[in-house]
Amino acid sequence: MPRSTVHRIVHRVTEEVVAIRHQVIYLPRTAEDLKAVSRGFAGLTRHRAFRKAAGGLNCHRYRNRKLFPSIILQAVCDHQGRFIDTYVGWPGSFHDCRMLRHSPLYRQALYPPPGQYILADRGYLCLQHPLPLITPYRQPLQGVGPQRFNSHHSRARFIIERAFGMMKTRFRSIFLKALEVHHTFVPQVITACAIMHNICIRGR
């Protein structure tokens, strides 16, 4: 098959998948959906203190054909590893915190609702506004309390790492080697992968 034909097929299929993004990647829509997410995170941490957790946040860097990070995917997932928010397209040199500050999730304070928070790793700052973000205690830890908190926090936060890992495994040809598409089209390809990841989880 000619490369030009393959190119057209890849672009058309990707665009068709991206067109259904908001039907597949979305924040909890009802109070019951939100409660299910919070219960799920409390279950992951094995501690009721985390019953107000409403998501896990992190970034994944896509490596280009020269094998250095060029595009960042920021994502929030629920307790099952389903992406509920994605933001993609900034250069790989961006720090995670800077990426977050440019995202609609942060700028528009879209989620979570008052009284709840999102879990993130040490690459982020602990925040109250506009995005409630809880990170682990930083090293060196003083006392048993912070150690236990970090242990429970890590159990829940691992779900976002697992979500990225599952997506990379499912789409090895995209995430484990360089894509032969123009760099301006990479965000759409990555978004399509996130959509397909959610569809796979839904079908389990």
Side-chain angles (χ1 to χ4, degrees), residues 8-192:
R8 285 196 301 272
I9 292 171
V10 168
H11 274 250
R12 181 175 178 181
V13 171
T14 300
E15 288 164 0
E16 291 287 338
V17 172
V18 171
I20 65 168
R21 177 181 183 274
H22 296 294
Q23 299 172 41
V24 181
I25 299 175
Y26 52 86
L27 299 168
R29 291 172 172 167
T30 68
E32 283 305 312
D33 290 343
L34 183 59
K35 283 181 183 178
V37 172
S38 297
R39 284 194 300 266
F41 273 100
L44 291 174
T45 62
R46 303 175 200 164
H47 201 290
R48 62 187 182 86
F50 288 84
R51 64 186 184 277
K52 293 296 184 180
L57 168 74
N58 210 341
C59 287
H60 175 74
R61 283 163 172 78
Y62 163 76
R63 294 182 179 274
N64 64 18
R65 67 188 65 185
K66 294 183 180 178
L67 300 180
F68 62 83
S70 60
I71 300 290
I72 306 176
L73 165 65
Q74 174 188 285
V76 178
C77 76
D78 67 11
H79 61 293
Q80 296 177 318
R82 183 184 71 85
F83 295 126
I84 59 175
D85 183 79
T86 58
Y87 181 60
V88 62
W90 285 88
S93 58
F94 260 48
H95 189 277
D96 293 356
C97 285
R98 189 179 178 194
M99 177 83 170
L100 176 64
R101 288 195 299 270
H102 282 84
S103 68
L105 184 74
Y106 181 93
R107 292 193 164 202
Q108 300 174 22
L110 297 174
Y111 184 80
Q116 299 200 263
Y117 53 83
I118 291 173
L119 302 172
D121 65 19
R122 292 184 181 89
Y124 296 90
L125 298 175
C126 198
L127 300 172
Q128 280 189 304
H129 302 287
L131 176 68
L133 207 63
I134 300 294
T135 61
Y137 282 96
R138 296 184 181 276
Q139 303 288 347
L141 299 178
Q142 302 292 328
V144 176
Q147 293 177 21
R148 287 179 176 170
F149 176 87
N150 280 8
S151 177
H152 290 296
H153 188 286
S154 178
R155 287 182 187 138
R157 196 184 69 249
F158 178 72
I159 192 66
I160 184 65
E161 305 294 346
R162 186 167 178 263
F164 284 139
M166 287 189 292
M167 184 170 67
K168 287 193 293 184
T169 300
R170 286 187 173 112
F171 307 108
R172 291 176 180 272
S173 61
I174 293 172
F175 290 100
L176 300 182
K177 66 178 185 179
L179 272 177
E180 295 185 10
V181 298
H182 194 272
H183 67 90
T184 57
F185 193 64
V186 170
Q188 287 183 277
V189 174
I190 294 174
T191 299

